[in-house]
Amino acid sequence: MEIVLITLFVLGYLAITLEHTIKIDKLIPALSMMALLWAVVSIYNLPVFEVDIISKQLIPSHIDELLLHHLGKTAEILVFLLGAMTIVEIIDYFNGFATIKNFIKTKSKKGLLFIFSGLAFLLSAIIDNLTATIVLITILQKVIIVRNTRIWFAGMIIISANAGGAWSPIGDVTTTMLWIGDKVTTGKLILNLFIPSIICMIVPVLVATRLPAFRGNLSGDIGKKDTGHQVHKYGSTMLYLGLSAIIFVPIFKILTHLPPYVGMMLSLSVVAAFAEIFSNSKINITSIDEDHEKYSSHSPVHSSLSKIELPSILFFLGILMAVAALESLGMLFEFAETINNTIPNTDIVVILLGFGSAIIDNVPLVAASMGMFSQLIDDPLWHFIAFSAGTGGSMLIIGSAAGVVAMGMEKIDFFWYLKKISWLALVGFISGSLTFILMRDFII
């Protein structure tokens, strides 16, 4: 029966990896894989286990109880992401991100490279690397008119955004998974990964400044205010309020020891309240009267919720619950033991995971690693996994959510990225990995 389960998982994984080839959204195989794996477990009455928190050993469990347990842990991540996505959409409703564009004045390509790379690094740590990439490429399209020049900057934004997302508990989905799963804490994560992440970003940027694409100045005016969209008078206020609310979430967790999604819901409620006040909405969030359709477009909360990427949420649900099925049977622990016997050096294993994340989705890779290893919270292994999975995806444009969205927004060719940008991402990944290992062994 293990062969059947592994076959289903591998086929689902392949379908997710080949999403752009077979033209089927990855949420479909993820949900199918989840349902089929749990169905096989249930139909054949296979013994299931859960990990005892204290002893870290597998203990027998009833399948209904185990399903609820894993669904609860998965729901923590999904609710957290829903809250963060809604706050970002509310900021965008007020065109708050236009505030960032108005700070860009220089015409120097090298100067713009440092500005956009720095913004990508910092923004991705707050609003996650996917959203930061969307925001900055949107701004980039208004600053740089020539597409052949712009795609070089887009490639560097991908590298910088993925590097910035690795050191923050809210900067990348995989890092958020490790944080909510009690594998890492905010303070230790930042302490151990901030410098390696900076190295991962700054080394490719410094190398890129020597390339012809980033020499000289841009022609035309830079820094003019965006006249294509009406800027709300509260746009900058909502930007700073929204970013502060997201940053508050880890602080709330440290103070209350409650799960992160609780703090995210509090932040969302505050941001939503100010959004409703600023927009002078004619309805409140819970209104269901006959005028709902008439006035819902005036509500920033309703408008923002309608733009949430539910396919991504469903994908996370499917893949996390599918991995949980294998974990509940103890198969991931057996696989981890096999890997450790074959490759005793865990650093090599984690670096290979980084290369793997460039080829296949890093969410299932990290979800599997959480079920494979039993190290305690804040073990250096978890920090290295967060770094490797987060930054390794930059080596191919399809290797990260940031790369995929940039590919769609700028129509970047896969082989152009492979030839022009991948080697820069590889240099950054290796530099950051070596920095982490040296800090772990000789400094921290």
Side-chain angles (χ1 to χ4, degrees):
M1 196 49 57
E2 286 188 355
I3 296 177
V4 174
L5 292 168
I6 294 174
T7 301
L8 287 172
F9 189 78
V10 170
L11 290 176
Y13 228 121
L14 284 175
I16 292 170
T17 304
L18 300 174
E19 173 189 15
H20 300 288
T21 302
I22 62 179
K23 308 299 182 184
I24 295 178
D25 195 290
K26 61 185 179 182
L27 78 89
I28 297 174
L31 293 176
S32 301
M33 180 169 57
M34 172 199 73
L36 291 174
L37 286 175
W38 282 104
V40 171
V41 172
S42 178
I43 291 172
Y44 289 91
N45 297 312
L46 299 176
V48 291
F49 306 88
E50 62 180 321
V51 181
D52 181 70
I53 297 178
I54 299 176
S55 65
K56 300 295 180 181
Q57 299 295 318
L58 292 174
I59 57 175
S61 177
H62 193 275
I63 189 169
D64 290 338
E65 298 173 353
L66 195 63
L67 263 173
L68 285 174
H69 168 75
H70 285 295
L71 181 60
K73 301 302 290 183
T74 301
E76 287 187 6
I77 298 173
L78 302 186
V79 173
F80 178 91
L81 293 175
L82 280 171
M85 288 177 177
T86 306
I87 291 176
V88 170
E89 291 296 341
I90 290 175
I91 296 173
D92 190 55
Y93 178 90
F94 289 89
N95 203 15
F97 293 112
T99 304
I100 299 173
K101 178 185 178 295
N102 295 332
F103 290 121
I104 300 174
K105 307 295 183 182
T106 181
K107 292 184 179 181
S108 167
K109 290 182 181 180
K110 187 181 297 186
L112 285 172
L113 174 62
F114 281 110
I115 289 173
F116 276 101
S117 298
L119 284 173
F121 185 83
L122 294 175
L123 274 181
S124 63
I126 303 173
I127 59 175
D128 79 63
N129 48 14
L130 171 62
T131 308
T133 301
I134 294 173
V135 169
L136 291 176
I137 289 183
T138 300
I139 296 172
L140 190 67
Q141 290 171 342
K142 295 177 173 62
V143 173
I144 302 177
I145 306 302
V146 181
R147 179 183 173 276
N148 289 338
T149 300
R150 194 169 62 237
I151 57 177
W152 279 93
F153 285 86
M156 299 308 297
I157 286 174
I158 294 170
I159 295 175
S160 301
N162 287 333
W167 63 271
S168 166
I170 53 180
D172 185 274
V173 173
T174 52
T175 311
T176 300
M177 288 164 52
L178 292 166
W179 181 48
I180 294 178
D182 289 328
K183 302 300 183 183
V184 298
T185 60
T186 302
K188 289 288 187 179
L189 183 71
I190 296 174
L191 178 65
N192 287 285
L193 292 189
F194 183 70
I195 294 178
S197 296
I198 287 182
I199 297 297
C200 181
M201 181 269 292
I202 201 66
V203 170
V205 169
L206 291 175
V207 173
T209 59
R210 312 288 295 179
L211 301 178
F214 297 103
R215 293 176 185 167
N217 298 326
L218 295 176
S219 58
D221 294 327
I222 299 297
K224 284 188 175 181
K225 291 190 176 181
D226 182 16
T227 57
H229 297 86
Q230 183 179 1
V231 179
H232 198 285
K233 64 178 179 179
Y234 294 113
S236 59
T237 301
M238 290 305 300
L239 172 66
Y240 301 134
L241 176 63
L243 297 183
S244 299
I246 296 174
I247 294 174
F248 170 74
V249 176
I251 299 173
F252 182 85
K253 183 181 186 297
I254 293 172
L255 294 176
T256 65
H257 303 289
L258 290 171
Y261 72 89
V262 179
M264 185 59 76
M265 291 300 100
L266 175 61
S267 293
L268 174 58
S269 66
V270 172
V271 174
F274 277 95
E276 294 288 321
I277 294 170
F278 290 159
S279 65
N280 295 317
S281 176
K282 295 183 179 180
I283 64 168
N284 56 42
I285 299 175
T286 57
S287 174
I288 54 173
D289 61 23
E290 61 182 5
D291 290 331
H292 171 76
E293 292 296 329
K294 179 179 179 182
Y295 295 120
S296 61
S297 61
H298 297 285
S299 169
V301 179
H302 279 266
S303 177
S304 300
L305 286 171
S306 68
K307 295 179 181 179
I308 294 299
E309 291 187 33
L310 283 180
S312 296
I313 297 296
L314 290 175
F315 167 72
F316 296 141
L317 170 65
I319 198 67
L320 293 175
M321 290 299 292
V323 171
L326 298 183
E327 180 185 344
S328 66
L329 296 171
M331 296 173 66
L332 292 181
F333 291 98
E334 295 174 4
F335 182 63
E337 188 174 339
T338 302
I339 290 179
N340 290 330
N341 291 334
T342 306
I343 310 176
N345 191 323
T346 55
D347 287 341
I348 296 177
V349 174
V350 177
I351 289 174
L352 290 176
L353 185 148
F355 282 95
S357 68
I359 303 171
I360 55 181
D361 199 279
N362 57 359
V363 171
L365 281 177
V366 173
S369 70
M370 292 172 68
M372 287 166 54
F373 302 106
S374 58
Q375 274 81 350
L376 298 176
I377 187 171
D378 276 332
D379 187 277
L381 173 69
W382 299 121
H383 297 137
F384 200 12
I385 288 175
F387 174 84
S388 187
T391 61
S394 301
M395 288 184 279
L396 291 179
I397 196 166
I398 61 170
S400 66
V404 171
V405 75
M407 185 182 189
M409 293 179 72
E410 285 293 348
K411 302 297 185 290
I412 300 174
D413 181 72
F414 174 88
F415 292 102
W416 180 91
Y417 186 95
L418 182 65
K419 180 181 179 181
K420 305 292 187 181
I421 306 295
S422 291
W423 69 276
L424 291 169
L426 174 62
V427 169
F429 175 71
I430 297 300
S431 300
S433 298
L434 292 176
T435 301
F436 174 85
I437 293 172
L438 290 173
M439 288 177 58
R440 180 198 62 193
D441 293 344
F442 299 105
I443 300 176
I444 298 179

